Amino acid sequence: MPWRLKQVIPEALRQAGGEERLKRGRVLAAWREVVGRELAQLTEAVALEKGVLLVQVSDPVVAHHLTYSRLALLRRYGERFPGMVREIRFQVGRLEAREGERAQAPNPGPPLELSRKALALAQEAPPGLREPVARAALALLKGRRGDPCPICEAPSEDHPCPTCRRLLHDPAVRKEAERLKRGKPATLAGEGLLVARHLARESLLQEMRDLYPQALREEGLRPLLQDLAGRFRALFPQEPLPEGVRSLLGGGGP
């Protein structure tokens, strides 16, 4: 009877393992939204086994880049499919051309040898610079043009680049920026951490600029300004404080 289908079909799917296959299929299909349009063109989620998502990537540079973003990708999957994806592994291999994309595929990027050199450069860079170098290498691989993005330094015709612009409004990234401002250890990695550091930097600078005129007139506010300056120096030891703040606090250093 038709009214019994709602009872019979779910049980039949469960017994045949179809429900589990359906969940895995939804996880694989969601990869393109989770990773973003740009990287989706260079990657493909191919399997999910025991909580491990296997992703095929087009080139070592892409795999290297995604390694830095793994925690952010896991978090996005956790929001969509709680408990389904516990780890992500990347393997370099040939991607199957998707319907409708073959004609729209961009011109091939630089040869594989150039990609390998870019990957080696990213691996040899200091830890704090590996992500920007990897992003720049990925952009080079895709043949992107433009000036460096002020956040990730990858070439882009738009500033910030589309990836960074999207992350600027991500609640988790904004929460990470607040953690960094308070001196807490980072919990994100890859692009998310880069954008969070950018937000923390801009916020601390703005707070110092706003407080400076008041601290100039009221000596009692200077300890608060000193605290802001100390947190800024801890996060960005190579960057100078605003000139007025540095002069008021009597710091001889940057």
Side-chain angles (χ1 to χ4, degrees):
M1 297 176 63
W3 61 270
R4 295 190 59 199
L5 289 178
K6 291 183 179 180
Q7 299 173 335
V8 173
I9 290 179
E11 178 62 20
L13 283 172
R14 186 187 65 78
Q15 292 181 0
E19 188 174 3
E20 189 64 26
R21 287 196 295 272
L22 179 61
K23 288 181 180 179
R24 289 202 299 268
R26 291 176 60 197
V27 169
L28 297 180
W31 169 253
R32 302 191 68 186
E33 295 181 16
V34 168
V35 77
R37 184 181 63 181
E38 293 183 356
L39 286 170
Q41 298 175 8
L42 302 172
T43 61
E44 183 177 4
V46 296
L48 176 66
E49 295 294 337
K50 298 180 180 179
V52 178
L53 180 67
L54 181 63
V55 177
Q56 197 95 341
V57 298
S58 61
D59 187 271
V61 173
V62 182
H64 184 75
H65 169 76
L66 285 171
T67 299
Y68 286 101
S69 306
R70 184 177 57 83
L71 294 179
L73 296 172
L74 285 170
R75 175 179 54 76
R76 293 172 199 163
Y77 261 120
E79 294 170 352
R80 288 169 173 255
F81 306 98
M84 287 290 292
V85 181
R86 298 190 299 273
E87 184 57 272
I88 302 177
R89 294 178 183 170
F90 306 105
Q91 68 176 22
V92 178
R94 185 172 177 271
L95 300 181
E96 294 295 329
R98 301 182 182 93
E99 184 179 355
E101 292 185 357
R102 202 179 288 269
Q104 301 175 6
N107 293 330
L112 183 58
E113 184 59 31
L114 183 55
S115 301
R116 288 172 177 162
K117 290 180 180 179
L119 173 61
L121 180 62
Q123 291 174 332
E124 293 174 3
L129 297 177
R130 286 175 185 167
E131 172 63 16
V133 171
R135 286 289 302 271
L138 176 63
L140 179 65
L141 175 65
K142 294 176 64 179
R144 284 169 53 183
R145 297 179 179 179
D147 296 326
C149 168
I151 299 177
C152 68
E153 300 185 8
S156 175
E157 296 180 356
D158 301 318
H159 288 174
C161 70
T163 299
C164 291
R165 189 183 306 117
R166 174 176 57 82
L167 288 172
L168 283 171
H169 304 288
D170 188 314
V173 172
R174 301 186 76 87
K175 182 178 179 180
E176 179 80 343
E178 291 299 319
R179 285 178 51 84
L180 295 175
K181 283 176 56 180
R182 297 196 303 270
K184 302 293 185 181
T187 59
L188 297 182
E191 302 132 311
L193 179 56
L194 280 178
V195 175
R197 283 176 58 84
H198 170 78
L199 289 171
R201 176 184 179 277
E202 294 301 307
S203 180
L204 286 170
L205 284 173
Q206 189 60 53
E207 288 182 32
M208 284 190 286
R209 293 189 187 106
D210 291 344
L211 184 60
Y212 168 71
Q214 302 174 54
L216 193 60
R217 296 189 300 267
E218 302 178 37
E219 190 171 345
L221 293 176
R222 294 180 189 179
L224 179 56
L225 186 62
Q226 182 74 58
D227 177 65
L228 291 172
R231 284 187 272 158
F232 184 85
R233 282 176 171 145
L235 271 175
F236 309 102
Q238 303 303 319
E239 292 194 38
L241 294 169
E243 184 176 352
V245 174
R246 187 169 68 249
S247 175
L248 180 61
L249 297 179

